[in-house]
Amino acid sequence: MPVNAHTRQIIELAWSRILGLDDEALASAGGRRLEVATDAAAGDRPDEDDQIATFVRLYGTSVLYGPRWLLDAARDVDDEVLALESTMIRLGTGHAARSLGEWVLYYADDVPDLDRSSTVAVSYEDADARELEAQCPADDVTEVGLSGVDSTFTLIPDDGAGTPTGRPVAGAGYEEWQGLIGHVGVLVRPDVRRMGLGAYAGAIAMEEAFTEGLIPQWRAALGNTGAQRVAASLGFELAGSQTTMLFNQ
């Protein structure tokens, strides 16, 4: 279900601030592409942050954030094409381009129905999130970054009376962005995937984010159909995309 107008305004406000724009920039862009040059004044040496470039599409408006040479090179490139990792790499020829991620962005403005489980308990302890990470592939751990977010919710099997009966099976958490968005991530142990545990953990994280007054955000790697299915099951709406690169200046 599409998010309401107020929720969309909050999302646009958050991203305007993330990208260094005026608060109303995204809301008033009218579908135009906005540009944010990260270079210092002409002739100054770029700092390390200037090597980061990101292209965000959100509700029909787009923002390219990066060095001036990239803005110039991309000016006549269509948004659909520019959102491709391969296009950014091509435009960065000579700058040792390296992809930091190609994602689709989802948002929700309602809490999914959540029937509390009698077979898993929720732990709020960082140690349990780290134990879950130790049982998961390194690439998944890096992508989700569960133990490093602001709030974590780890699922541990129990006997229905609060006594743990096994090691963590899944977890979710959220990171607060600009005090407006709760960026949700989910991690599930490989041997218990496709059992609904990721969706259950994600729903708990969404509920907690809503309680804190945050709009839940879900970011799935392009091509990660499993993550996209979980997003759909939790009621997230597809809103745009983000492609981020690191360039050697």
Side-chain angles (χ1 to χ4, degrees), residues 48 50-53 95-100 244-248:
E48 185 177 350
D50 290 329
Q51 298 177 359
I52 297 291
H95 295 270
R98 179 164 66 90
S99 176
L100 298 182
T244 301
M245 308 293 295
L246 180 66
F247 294 108
N248 185 333

Side-chain angles (χ1 to χ4, degrees), residues 14-247:
W15 274 103
S16 292
R17 292 179 176 178
I18 290 167
L19 296 169
L21 295 162
D22 293 337
D23 283 357
E24 300 300 321
L26 276 170
S28 61
R32 295 181 294 115
R33 180 189 297 174
L34 305 178
E35 297 180 345
V36 180
T38 58
D39 305 72
D44 288 351
R45 183 178 178 180
D47 60 26
E48 185 177 350
D49 288 340
D50 290 329
Q51 298 177 359
I52 297 291
T54 190
F55 182 58
V56 175
R57 293 186 297 165
L58 195 64
Y59 298 116
T61 294
S62 60
V63 182
L64 180 58
Y65 172 102
R68 283 182 175 84
W69 63 261
L70 177 63
L71 306 187
D72 293 340
R75 199 152 287 138
D76 295 326
V77 180
D78 183 78
D79 280 1
E80 290 286 340
V81 178
L82 185 57
L84 299 174
E85 181 181 273
S86 58
T87 300
M88 297 281 271
I89 291 173
R90 175 175 57 81
L91 293 175
T93 300
H95 295 270
R98 179 164 66 90
S99 176
L100 298 182
E102 188 178 16
W103 303 286
V104 283
L105 299 171
Y106 299 83
Y107 297 93
D109 60 5
D110 198 6
V111 180
D113 293 333
L114 185 60
D115 295 326
R116 296 291 176 178
S117 172
S118 60
T119 59
V120 292
V122 180
S123 167
Y124 302 88
E125 299 297 325
D126 292 340
D128 289 319
R130 290 193 295 271
E131 184 178 355
L132 173 63
E133 288 180 326
Q135 302 175 72
C136 295
D139 287 349
D140 294 346
V141 172
T142 299
E143 181 178 343
V144 178
L146 183 63
S147 63
V149 301
D150 298 314
S151 299
T152 61
F153 316 96
T154 307
L155 305 184
I156 302 176
D158 74 2
D159 61 1
T163 302
T165 60
R167 303 178 72 186
V169 291
Y174 67 82
E175 184 177 18
E176 189 172 316
W177 290 15
Q178 299 294 319
L180 299 168
I181 287 174
H183 178 62
V184 176
V186 170
L187 186 64
V188 182
R189 208 172 70 194
D191 61 310
V192 292
R193 290 178 181 175
R194 298 182 179 273
M195 298 174 63
L197 291 166
Y200 182 63
I204 293 170
M206 289 175 68
E207 185 177 69
E208 296 289 339
F210 272 120
T211 299
E212 295 300 316
L214 303 172
I215 304 301
Q217 171 182 276
W218 184 275
R219 190 171 65 179
L222 190 67
N224 187 340
T225 56
Q228 292 169 26
R229 282 196 297 268
V230 174
S233 72
L234 291 172
F236 279 97
E237 176 206 27
L238 178 63
S241 68
Q242 179 186 5
T243 305
T244 301
M245 308 293 295
L246 180 66
F247 294 108

Side-chain angles (χ1 to χ4, degrees), residues 2-25:
V3 301
N4 63 45
H6 178 65
T7 297
R8 176 171 166 172
Q9 288 172 356
I10 294 172
I11 296 165
E12 290 171 332
L13 170 61
W15 274 103
S16 292
R17 292 179 176 178
I18 290 167
L19 296 169
L21 295 162
D22 293 337
D23 283 357
E24 300 300 321

